[in-house]
Amino acid sequence: MAEALPSGLVDAVREVLGERARPGEPLARHTSYRIGGPAGLLVLPDTPAELASILEAAAARGARVTLVGGGSNVLVGDGGLAGVVVKLGRGFARVEWTENGAHAEVRAGAAVQLGRLCRDAVGRGLAGLEFAEGIPGTVGGAVFMNAGAYGGDLSRTVVEVEGLRAEGGAPLRLGGAELAFGYRRALLPAGFVVTAVRFRLERDDAGRVRARMDAAREHRVTAQPHGEPSAGSVFKNPPGDHAGRLIEVAGLKGVRAGRARISERHANFIVNEGGARAEDVKALMDMAQRVVWERNGVWLEPEVRLIGSW
Ligand SMILES: Cc1cc2nc3c(=O)[nH]c(=O)nc-3n(C[C@H](O)[C@H](O)[C@H](O)COP(=O)(O)OP(=O)(O)OC[C@H]3O[C@@H](n4cnc5c(N)ncnc54)[C@H](O)[C@@H]3O)c2cc1C
């Protein structure tokens, strides 16, 4: 069970958010894995002002703050996640388009679903996000992770990120170049909460843009498991190789721990067969790391973020 919250914090936050402040909320309801113990306090702010007041209240009482977007790249421990867990609410799911000639700019709230943004852009004949079809989660999480697939990633289109600093909730804007995007990472100030992102997209032939998105979807449907909860690729690809290939040649496809299993379809996916615990998934991750290290001398680095108590 998560450690106790600082006194007065729940009341202070409840005063601002009412029922959108939920002590002890099971995080399994908020992760694509359907795994995770309780949050100390889950909050769903709808405006930057609400968010700032939560950050202030937490900082004043020394409570830890963790951000969760769509929960599609996190494995939350069975013991839950202490402190305040912020999940941006519907007020952060607005999209504004500014189209002029060959280019367009779109400002998307951090809680917008990345897949929805990709499909809206494709519908307008705008190129730059087609790779994102089928990547679950939010724009905020996608920037943090520099989400990518099939040769594309978010870094190429991000112009600016808007957000609030962890300490006290002061607003801050960062240019795309300042984020020093790398493979599945961006350099954001510690605890920085992304509230909106401005993208620049290019006009292209509408049919060609759609064909690229359809190809990405097709590839995903063929190569990846579906119907069982997961967090996508568990490990990053090591330089010059694929984590899935290394795990497959190690003979680990189909191996189980509790109710978790290394997918037969794609060895870099660990799926929840129903009722899996975080420790089951973690046991398979540890096994894959150890076996691949012993066979190939490659240490697989997790892509999925392990958070909370174990
Ligand atoms: C079936 C499946 C397929 C997938 N395929 C891909 C793929 O092809 N490519 C790929 O890159 N990923 C893939 N993923 C992983 C995942 O979808 C992406 O990493 C996604 O961008 C995570 O977004 P999220 O909103 O769910 O973030 P979360 O998982 O909620 O959070 C991820 C990290 O971002 C931080 N974060 C979230 N929101 C914010 C915010 N507003 N401000 C600051 N930090 C924030 C969190 O604290 C956390 O550290 C896949 C996942 C699944 C389940």
Side-chain angles (χ1 to χ4, degrees), residues 15-26:
E15 227 166 81
V16 181
L17 294 189
E19 292 306 305
R20 287 177 289 124
R22 303 180 190 162
E25 171 84 355

Side-chain angles (χ1 to χ4, degrees), residues 32 66-74 88 110 114 134-150 184 188 192-195 220 224-225 230-233 269 303 305 307:
S32 59
T66 308
L67 258 292
V68 171
S72 65
N73 201 54
V74 289
L88 300 180
L114 181 65
I135 301 182
T138 62
V139 162
V143 165
F144 186 94
M145 294 303 304
N146 187 19
Y150 314 123
R184 298 296 167 268
L188 293 165
F192 180 74
V193 184
V194 177
T195 55
R220 199 171 279 279
Q224 298 182 359
S230 77
S233 294
F269 278 57
E303 177 169 325
R305 298 179 64 82
I307 54 178

Side-chain angles (χ1 to χ4, degrees), residues 9-22 41-47 49-55 84-87 89 92:
L9 181 60
V10 174
D11 290 343
V13 174
R14 270 245 157 109
E15 227 166 81
V16 181
L17 294 189
E19 292 306 305
R20 287 177 289 124
R22 303 180 190 162
L41 175 66
L42 178 81
V43 295
L44 298 148
D46 263 334
T47 63
E50 286 181 353
L51 175 60
S53 74
I54 293 162
L55 296 175
V84 179
V85 180
V86 176
K87 178 172 174 171
F92 292 93

Side-chain angles (χ1 to χ4, degrees), residues 12 29 42 72 74 94 107 112-113 141 157-158 214 235 238 243 249 265 275 281 308:
R29 292 183 189 158
L42 178 81
S72 65
V74 289
R94 299 201 178 92
R107 179 180 178 279
V112 168
Q113 294 296 311
T157 52
V158 173
D214 290 346
F235 297 106
V249 298
R265 191 181 272 255
V281 177

Side-chain angles (χ1 to χ4, degrees), residues 66-303:
T66 308
L67 258 292
V68 171
S72 65
N73 201 54
V74 289
L75 179 61
V76 180
D78 301 310
L81 191 46
V84 179
V85 180
V86 176
K87 178 172 174 171
L88 300 180
R90 291 194 194 97
F92 292 93
R94 299 201 178 92
V95 181
E96 298 152 45
W97 297 89
T98 313
E99 297 189 42
N100 60 48
H103 309 292
E105 236 181 59
V106 55
R107 179 180 178 279
V112 168
Q113 294 296 311
L114 181 65
R116 175 194 146 198
L117 189 67
C118 154
R119 287 187 293 279
D120 285 358
V122 168
R124 290 165 184 260
L126 295 170
L129 292 174
E130 305 88 297
F131 71 87
E133 168 68 356
I135 301 182
T138 62
V139 162
V143 165
F144 186 94
M145 294 303 304
N146 187 19
Y150 314 123
D153 64 32
L154 225 63
S155 68
R156 301 174 192 197
T157 52
V158 173
V159 176
E160 188 182 65
V161 164
E162 298 170 26
L164 301 187
R165 289 180 187 276
E167 291 304 317
L172 178 68
R173 288 169 187 256
L174 297 165
E178 291 176 80
L179 302 183
F181 283 112
Y183 174 44
R184 298 296 167 268
R185 65 171 174 79
L187 200 65
L188 293 165
F192 180 74
V193 184
V194 177
T195 55
V197 182
R198 283 201 300 119
F199 298 91
R200 182 184 158 103
L201 305 175
E202 310 290 326
R203 187 158 302 289
D204 195 356
D205 175 81
R208 279 208 301 264
V209 181
R210 185 164 295 282
R212 286 196 293 270
M213 179 182 75
D214 290 346
R217 182 191 302 122
E218 186 59 31
H219 197 285
R220 199 171 279 279
V221 167
T222 324
Q224 298 182 359
H226 26 89
E228 286 176 308
S230 77
S233 294
V234 170
F235 297 106
K236 295 183 182 183
N237 287 324
D241 210 334
H242 288 93
R245 189 196 76 78
L246 291 165
I247 299 168
E248 180 173 352
V249 298
L252 295 178
K253 273 188 167 182
V255 171
R256 287 191 168 79
R259 302 286 299 159
R261 189 179 83 252
I262 297 182
S263 167
E264 292 84 354
R265 191 181 272 255
H266 192 314
N268 200 19
F269 278 57
I270 297 177
V271 296
N272 175 1
E273 298 184 323
R277 296 171 60 77
E279 65 181 23
D280 299 335
V281 177
K282 177 76 167 49
L284 291 176
M285 290 176 69
D286 291 348
M287 182 192 298
Q289 277 176 316
R290 195 186 67 245
V291 174
V292 168
W293 172 254
E294 284 167 4
R295 277 182 57 102
N296 302 84
V298 175
W299 186 252
L300 294 174
E301 194 191 328
E303 177 169 325

